[in-house]
């Protein structure tokens, strides 16, 4: 059980929660501010002034005043009418992360929910009651209304939930877990569905996997450099210091360390007729470093958003104020930035694959990295697969944040499209994991063709991890399992773990 402090929860904690499926609860110190805000909302609901979302309709219907006796019905109707999501269900780990993010937002004490509502989310996480949330239907303002309505529907005994691997009606799931649905008080329904937690959860998972793959790409790029007998001169520190970008400097430093004491490198330091390597080798620090800088920029935005209050209106000491924190533009921009980093990391990796399989460019490696070309095709079509995935990621990297459309009778006339901007990232990281896995297979073949010279001690550890998943390709065989195994290696971060690579988000 992790105890979270709203406003101060780190990305590392969120990644641990997501990957390990741990239950979470808020710091008990949050109960006072949460209860105080709820009391402030109750008092406002009993007063005569019209306050949006407390005693009025929603969106274009905000001018309709709601009687105090209809407050509970208003909030229940909001959830039922907004649960309009379609498509496949969000995976369980990401749904749990979304629920954790909603806890962090409510725990700031500016949303006006009852303490028992917060406690129910904590209990659902602890007992494995995970709402079934369709992934399509949000435009990223006014918050992720449809996905979060499906989450909240289970809390009021409606909708569907996953429990012990089974899909069951929400009320039954709660009962089986020994929980009871809540009756929503004034503003509570709006507080629960107005927010960016669906989009932010998806963007965070893209960031977490993207960062892991960025680290893998450094190790594999270094191995590819040795496979084609590339020069380490472009990695020299003075080159990168003169430009000054943090990511570029760190990538060059990491690759120098990974390639240190490589016999392959030393074997061609003198009398090498080549003057310069292709850009996919020579400019690896510039490209991968820039991608890492983008991921770090997105990480800063998403850590802030994960701790933010993004519903509307907000409960403050000065009163209940209507604003626009539900607009997910920061998340949409972060998702677009992550997509660019993923696409370019894959693009330069694919060019290294193409380099290694081409005998005209690979510096005496056999065609398609097979010892008996002609009779065998080797890694010929693995390279084609990497090209297909690279191209797919290029298309997916087109920005989503620029694609606004008006909704809700033009009341919500500019939206962020953060939800599907973030949702595509899982597909992109899956593609990138496979591209890098194919590069790892090629680099391993190439390095082994340089015998009797061997690669560096660090890269030998990575090579051993590759060979544990995929034996050397001596003759053609059914390659799909090898590609899957190599992709799993990169997805799990196993190659960076095999080395002493140190680089943190």
């Amino acid at each position: 059980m992790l105890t979270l402090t709203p406003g101060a929860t780190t990305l590392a904690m969120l990644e641990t929660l997501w990957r390990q499926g741990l239950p979470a609860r808020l710091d008990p110190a949050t109960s006072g501010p949460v209860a105080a805000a709820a009391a402030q909302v109750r008092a406002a609901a009993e007063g005569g002034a019209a306050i949006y979302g407390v005693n009025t309709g929603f969106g274009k219907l905000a001018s309709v005043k709601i009687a105090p006796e209809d407050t509970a019905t208003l909030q229940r109707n909001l959830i039922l009418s907004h649960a309009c999501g379609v498509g496949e269900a969000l995976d369980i780990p990401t749904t749990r992360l979304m629920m954790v993010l909603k806890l962090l937002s409510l725990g700031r004490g500016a949303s006006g929910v009852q303490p028992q509502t917060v406690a129910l989310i904590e209990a659902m996480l602890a007992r494995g009651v995970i709402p079934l949330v369709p992934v399509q239907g949000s435009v990223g303002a006014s918050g992720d209304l449809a996905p979060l309505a499906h989450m909240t529907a289970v809390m009021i005994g409606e909708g569907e939930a996953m429990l012990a691997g089974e899909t069951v009606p929400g009320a039954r799931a709660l009962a089986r877990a020994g929980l009871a649905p809540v009756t929503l008080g004034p503003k509570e329904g709006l507080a629960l569905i107005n927010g960016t937690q669906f989009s932010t959860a998806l963007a965070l998972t893209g960031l977490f996997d993207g960062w892991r793959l960025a680290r893998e790409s450094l190790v594999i790029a270094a191995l590819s450099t040795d496979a084609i007998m590339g020069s380490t001169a472009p990695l020299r520190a003075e080159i990168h210091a003169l430009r000054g970008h943090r990511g570029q400097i760190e990538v060059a430093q990491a690759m120098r360390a990974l390639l240190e004491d490589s016999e392959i490198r030393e074997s061609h330091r003198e009398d090498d007729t080549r003057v310069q390597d292709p850009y996919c080798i020579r400019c690896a620090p510039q490209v991968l470093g820039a991608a890492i800088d983008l991921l770090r920029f997105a990480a800063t935005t998403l850590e802030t958003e994960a701790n933010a209050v993004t519903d509307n209106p907000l409960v403050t000491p000065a009163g209940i104020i209507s604003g626009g924190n539900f607009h997910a533009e920061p998340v949409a921009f972060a998702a677009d930035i992550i997509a660019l980093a993923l696409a370019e990391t894959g693009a330069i990796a694919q060019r290294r694959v193409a380099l290694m399989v081409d005998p005209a460019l690979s510096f005496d490696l056999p065609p398609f990295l097979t010892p008996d070309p002609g009779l065998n095709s080797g890694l010929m079509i693995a390279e084609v697969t990497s090209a297909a995935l690279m191209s797919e990621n290029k298309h997916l990297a087109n920005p989503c944040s620029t694609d606004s459309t008006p909704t809700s009778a033009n009341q919500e006339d500019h939206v962020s499209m953060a939800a599907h901007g973030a949702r595509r990232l899982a597909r992109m990281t899956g593609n990138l994991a496979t591209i890098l896995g194919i590069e790892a297979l090629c680099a391993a073949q190439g390095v082994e063709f340089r015998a009797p010279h061997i690669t560096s001690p660090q890269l030998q550890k990575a090579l051993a991890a590759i060979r544990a998943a995929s034996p050397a390709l001596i003759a053609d065989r059914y390659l799909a399992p090898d590609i899957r195994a190599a992709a799993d290696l990169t997805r799990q971060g196993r190659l960076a773990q095999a080395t002493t690579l140190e680089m943190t988000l």
Side-chain angles (χ1 to χ4, degrees):
M1 175 79 72
L2 282 181
T3 299
L4 305 176
T5 301
T9 297
T10 65
L11 292 181
M13 294 180 72
L14 294 173
E15 184 172 7
T16 298
L17 283 165
W18 175 59
R19 293 197 186 278
Q20 299 183 18
L22 300 175
R25 66 178 182 182
L26 295 182
D27 187 322
T30 63
S31 59
V34 168
Q40 190 175 342
V41 169
R42 282 196 303 273
E46 294 166 0
I51 299 176
Y52 175 70
V54 176
N55 53 13
T56 72
F58 306 104
K60 195 75 169 179
L61 304 176
S63 59
V64 179
K65 186 77 159 44
I66 306 299
E69 62 270 21
D70 291 329
T71 296
T73 301
L74 172 71
Q75 298 299 319
R76 183 177 180 84
N77 286 349
L78 174 69
I79 303 308
L80 299 177
S81 66
H82 282 54
C84 294
V86 297
E88 64 188 24
L90 185 64
D91 64 276
I92 288 176
T94 308
T95 305
R96 291 176 58 88
L97 179 58
M98 179 185 73
M99 295 168 71
V100 168
L101 295 178
K102 179 54 75 174
L103 276 178
L104 290 175
S105 182
L106 299 178
R108 295 285 295 274
S111 299
V113 299
Q114 306 168 90
Q116 56 264 40
T117 300
V118 172
L120 179 58
I121 298 176
E122 293 174 332
M124 288 168 66
L125 286 167
R127 301 184 193 186
V129 179
I130 308 302
L132 193 150
V133 177
V135 296
Q136 293 173 282
S138 174
V139 294
S142 180
D144 295 315
L145 295 172
L148 291 170
H150 283 274
M151 179 197 77
T152 308
V154 175
M155 298 173 64
I156 64 172
E158 300 286 348
E160 294 180 296
M162 293 294 297
L163 179 65
E166 183 183 358
T167 301
V168 293
R172 191 183 307 168
L174 291 175
R176 285 186 186 177
L179 302 172
V182 295
T183 298
L184 298 175
K187 190 189 172 299
E188 281 202 290
L190 194 58
L192 287 163
I193 71 170
N194 223 200
T196 67
Q197 287 76 34
F198 174 79
S199 297
T200 304
L202 284 165
L204 282 170
T205 64
L207 174 70
F208 296 150
D209 277 346
W211 182 257
R212 178 176 280 185
L213 292 170
R215 285 168 47 85
E216 292 291 282
S217 73
L218 300 189
V219 178
I220 300 167
L223 196 62
S224 297
T225 299
D226 242 8
I228 65 104
M229 300 182 80
S231 173
T232 54
L235 302 177
R236 289 179 57 161
E238 53 265 41
I239 295 174
H240 306 285
L242 285 168
R243 198 171 198 186
H245 291 297
R246 176 188 173 189
Q248 177 179 330
I249 291 168
E250 290 183 356
V251 169
Q253 181 181 21
M255 291 184 68
R256 288 197 305 273
L258 289 166
L259 284 158
E260 188 174 0
D261 296 327
S262 165
E263 288 184 14
I264 295 174
R265 174 63 186 113
E266 295 306 316
S267 72
H268 64 97
R269 197 175 286 277
E270 302 293 336
D271 301 322
D272 192 332
T273 58
R274 297 169 298 170
V275 177
Q276 292 180 323
D277 294 317
Y279 288 178
C280 64
I281 299 293
R282 188 172 13 133
C283 298
Q286 287 80 0
V287 175
L288 297 179
I292 282 170
D293 286 341
L294 286 184
L295 292 176
R296 283 176 169 149
F297 180 85
T300 299
T301 296
L302 293 176
E303 186 169 72
T304 298
E305 190 74 6
N307 286 280
V309 184
T310 55
D311 63 283
N312 181 61
L314 297 179
V315 183
T316 75
I320 302 174
I321 306 171
S322 185
N325 278 4
F326 51 73
H327 200 298
E329 196 81 351
V331 181
F333 282 164
D336 280 347
I337 287 169
I338 294 168
L340 290 174
L342 297 175
E344 281 299 275
T345 300
I348 195 168
Q350 200 285 324
R351 295 319 303 156
R352 290 191 293 268
V353 172
L355 182 70
M356 286 184 282
V357 301
D358 186 345
L361 300 173
S362 64
F363 200 59
D364 298 329
L365 291 175
F368 305 107
L369 297 166
T370 177
D372 189 10
L375 179 63
N376 295 283
S377 295
L379 292 164
M380 178 190 294
I381 303 305
E383 186 269 332
V384 175
T385 297
S386 73
L389 298 180
M390 173 193 68
S391 185
E392 185 175 309
N393 271 6
K394 286 180 182 178
H395 287 279
L396 290 170
N398 281 298
C400 295
S401 58
T402 56
D403 185 26
S404 178
T405 188
T407 62
S408 298
N410 277 306
Q411 178 74 7
E412 297 159 8
D413 59 349
H414 183 278
V415 298
S416 71
M417 297 301 181
H420 64 267
R423 185 163 58 90
R424 67 178 156 170
L425 298 178
R427 184 172 164 189
M428 293 187 72
T429 55
N431 288 343
L432 179 55
T434 302
I435 294 168
L436 293 175
I438 292 170
E439 185 190 358
L441 295 178
C442 292
Q445 285 284 113
V447 162
E448 288 170 342
F449 277 122
R450 301 303 183 185
H453 302 300
I454 59 175
T455 190
S456 69
Q458 287 291 312
L459 293 178
Q460 286 180 54
K461 296 175 183 177
L463 180 59
I466 296 167
R467 285 294 172 242
S470 171
L473 188 61
I474 306 303
D476 283 352
R477 63 174 182 259
Y478 185 54
L479 271 179
D482 294 77
I483 294 173
R484 283 196 299 270
D488 285 342
L489 274 184
T490 64
R491 191 177 292 110
Q492 296 166 18
R494 297 282 298 281
L495 302 184
Q497 291 169 13
T499 72
T500 57
L501 176 66
E502 294 182 4
M503 186 173 290
T504 59
L505 191 59

